């Protein structure tokens, strides 16, 4: 049996009765679009983050797109972010006509190096977009200070950080708005696509609600700026509402898996994940590092172990973003990490025996290098 980086089947078996009941509840409700399940989930998710508003959308990419638009970011504006992220972060910036501007990441956590941000702020800068990557938060205090000093908006990308905390405060509660993905692999995931944007600002909330529904406030009448169809589905909302109640158990499971890896691999020459000061890590992925990464991955294939790289191609090196004018060497920490990092299997239902089937061959391969 192949050991994958992520597998939902065992979790589904454990929660199957509740998941099927969620589907049945929606189908019997008589309302399949923007009904009670979406409203209930939005209320629960907003409360979970201590903010006043949550707007459910169809995926995490559009959660960023609508968040940017609702915050007034548009054509020609510059958005400062990182190149070590999933492509959707930057695709969303491009989708609103804004220009992504990259800073490098920290060599220990691979998170935004906030100390570099001020040096790339220009008169066109409108937004700071920190990516809470791999399950922990960017250093938000100095970033918020910069935003206040230069009059910038902050949109947090929380796609990989459901439940993560920074100095006791939950990810998504720092900025003017925050975007989440509920793709199946996420810490809080549904059985398909889904997303949400949260905010404490009632005006931003109103803009988000218009934008996800063609720009309408009343049926058939577009107010101000046209939007598009970007609604969270009722079925996914009901599943997410129920899974949100189990989020703490998911986090505990992930942390247990991470602790077991740390104990079992501490005496190897793998660079294990580092947790930044003040952070509570939720371990969306368990990213390790080794200069012979590719040899390790290849050597583990005969054992049926499939590993992932998050991410092998920094955004600024992709041909689709060549127009931004970045070149090799512009972000040296990001580029060096991309050649060496890879992820071990990580999901809360991963059992100790399943984990041993990764750890033992990995230790053997490392010893033989």
């Amino acid at each position: 049996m192949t050991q994958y980086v992520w597998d939902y089947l065992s979790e589904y078996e454990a929660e199957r009765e509740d998941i099927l009941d969620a589907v049945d509840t929606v189908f019997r409700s008589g309302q399949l679009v923007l009904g009670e399940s979406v409203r209930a989930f939005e209320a629960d998710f907003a409360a979970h983050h201590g903010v006043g508003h949550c707007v459910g959308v169809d995926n995490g990419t559009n959660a960023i797109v609508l968040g940017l638009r609702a915050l007034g970011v548009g054509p020609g504006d510059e958005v400062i972010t990182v190149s070590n992220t999933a492509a959707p972060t930057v695709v969303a910036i491009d989708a609103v006509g804004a220009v992504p501007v990259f800073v490098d990441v920290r060599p220990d956590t691979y998170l935004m190096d906030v100390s570099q941000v001020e040096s790339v702020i220009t008169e066109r800068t409108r937004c700071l977009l920190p990516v809470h990557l791999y399950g922990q938060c960017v250093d938000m205090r100095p970033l918020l200070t910069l935003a206040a000093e230069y009059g910038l908006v902050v949109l947090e990308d929380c796609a990989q950080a459901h439940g993560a905390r920074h100095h006791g405060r939950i990810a998504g509660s720092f900025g003017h708005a925050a975007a989440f993905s509920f793709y199946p692999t996420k810490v809080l995931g549904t059985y398909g696509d889904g997303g949400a944007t949260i905010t404490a600002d009632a005006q931003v909330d109103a803009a988000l609600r218009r934008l996800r529904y063609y720009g309408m406030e009343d049926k058939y009448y577009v107010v101000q700026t046209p939007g598009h169809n970007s609604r969270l589905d009722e079925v996914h909302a009901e599943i997410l509402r129920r899974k949100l109640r189990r989020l703490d158990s998911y986090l505990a499971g992930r942390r247990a898996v991470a602790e077991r890896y740390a104990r079992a691999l501490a005496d190897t020459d793998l660079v294990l994940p580092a947790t930044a000061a003040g952070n509570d890590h939720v371990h969306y992925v368990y990213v390790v590092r080794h200069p012979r990464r590719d040899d390790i991955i290849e050597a583990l294939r005969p054992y049926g172990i499939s590993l992932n790289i998050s991410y092998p191609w920094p955004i600024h090196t992709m041909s689709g973003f060549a127009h931004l004018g970045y070149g090799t060497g512009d972000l040296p920490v990001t580029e060096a990490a991309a050649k060496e990092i890879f992820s071990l299997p990580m999901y809360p239902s991963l059992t100790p025996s399943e984990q041993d089937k990764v750890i033992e061959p990995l230790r053997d391969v490392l010893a033989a290098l």
Side-chain angles (χ1 to χ4, degrees), residues 280-312:
D280 293 327
H281 206 311
V282 299
H283 299 286
Y284 167 61
V285 285
Y286 194 85
V287 174
V288 297
R289 184 170 184 168
H290 196 282
R292 295 186 63 181
R293 184 265 312 277
D294 294 344
D295 294 331
I296 293 169
I297 291 176
E298 190 61 32
L300 288 173
R301 292 190 194 281
Y303 294 92
I305 299 171
S306 176
L307 301 179
N308 191 46
I309 302 172
S310 302
Y311 298 95

Side-chain angles (χ1 to χ4, degrees), residues 41 190-194 232-241:
F41 172 69
T190 186
Y191 288 80
D193 276 315
L232 178 63
D233 181 87
E234 276 285 289
V235 170
H236 292 313
E238 183 63 28
I239 291 171
L240 288 164
R241 187 176 69 86

Side-chain angles (χ1 to χ4, degrees), residues 60-348:
T61 307
N62 279 336
I64 299 174
V65 170
L66 270 61
L68 290 168
R69 293 187 64 188
L71 291 171
V73 179
D77 291 333
E78 292 179 348
V79 178
I80 299 174
T81 190
V82 292
S83 180
N84 182 41
T85 184
T89 304
V90 183
V91 168
I93 297 170
D94 182 76
V96 303
V99 180
V101 175
F102 300 118
V103 294
D104 216 337
V105 296
R106 291 174 46 172
D108 55 347
T109 61
Y110 317 118
L111 296 168
M112 174 185 277
D113 186 344
V114 177
S115 69
Q116 297 186 20
V117 171
E118 188 169 21
S119 67
V120 298
I121 293 175
T122 71
E123 62 182 13
R124 294 173 58 195
T125 306
R126 172 64 180 154
C127 178
L128 305 181
L129 204 166
V131 181
H132 300 317
L133 197 68
Y134 301 152
Q136 65 174 324
C137 296
V138 171
D139 189 4
M140 293 301 294
R141 291 175 176 176
L143 200 67
L144 294 172
T145 298
L146 282 174
E149 181 179 348
Y150 287 92
L152 308 175
V153 295
V154 177
L155 175 64
E156 300 173 67
D157 182 343
C158 299
Q160 300 187 10
H162 305 78
R165 291 184 179 271
H166 181 57
H167 296 289
R169 189 169 168 182
I170 195 166
S173 66
F174 293 91
H176 296 87
F180 291 82
S181 169
F182 303 123
Y183 187 73
T185 64
K186 303 304 183 185
V187 176
L188 179 64
T190 186
Y191 288 80
D193 276 315
T197 309
I198 65 174
T199 182
D201 188 316
Q203 290 186 327
V204 174
D205 172 65
L208 287 166
R209 293 186 185 281
R210 288 193 299 269
L211 289 167
R212 76 159 175 195
Y213 191 55
Y214 309 107
M216 297 178 185
E217 286 182 353
D218 297 313
K219 194 173 183 180
Y220 302 129
Y221 192 91
V222 174
V223 182
Q224 298 177 9
T225 305
H228 57 280
N229 180 4
S230 183
R231 302 172 298 218
L232 178 63
D233 181 87
E234 276 285 289
V235 170
H236 292 313
E238 183 63 28
I239 291 171
L240 288 164
R241 187 176 69 86
R242 298 177 185 217
K243 292 189 74 174
L244 181 60
R245 301 167 187 164
R246 298 190 283 270
L247 180 58
D248 286 346
S249 69
Y250 300 153
L251 299 183
R254 288 177 177 275
R255 287 172 175 142
V257 171
E259 289 168 5
R260 200 160 190 273
Y261 276 136
R263 290 194 302 270
L265 300 171
D267 62 341
T268 71
D269 60 348
L270 276 182
V271 178
L272 302 181
T275 300
N279 275 353
D280 293 327
H281 206 311
V282 299
H283 299 286
Y284 167 61
V285 285
Y286 194 85
V287 174
V288 297
R289 184 170 184 168
H290 196 282
R292 295 186 63 181
R293 184 265 312 277
D294 294 344
D295 294 331
I296 293 169
I297 291 176
E298 190 61 32
L300 288 173
R301 292 190 194 281
Y303 294 92
I305 299 171
S306 176
L307 301 179
N308 191 46
I309 302 172
S310 302
Y311 298 95
W313 301 288
I315 305 296
H316 73 284
T317 68
M318 295 181 181
S319 58
F321 294 102
H323 62 282
L324 298 176
Y326 289 89
T328 302
D330 286 342
L331 301 172
V333 179
T334 296
E335 293 166 26
K339 297 175 182 177
E340 299 183 353
I341 56 176
F342 61 106
S343 303
L344 303 184
M346 168 57 73
Y347 44 94

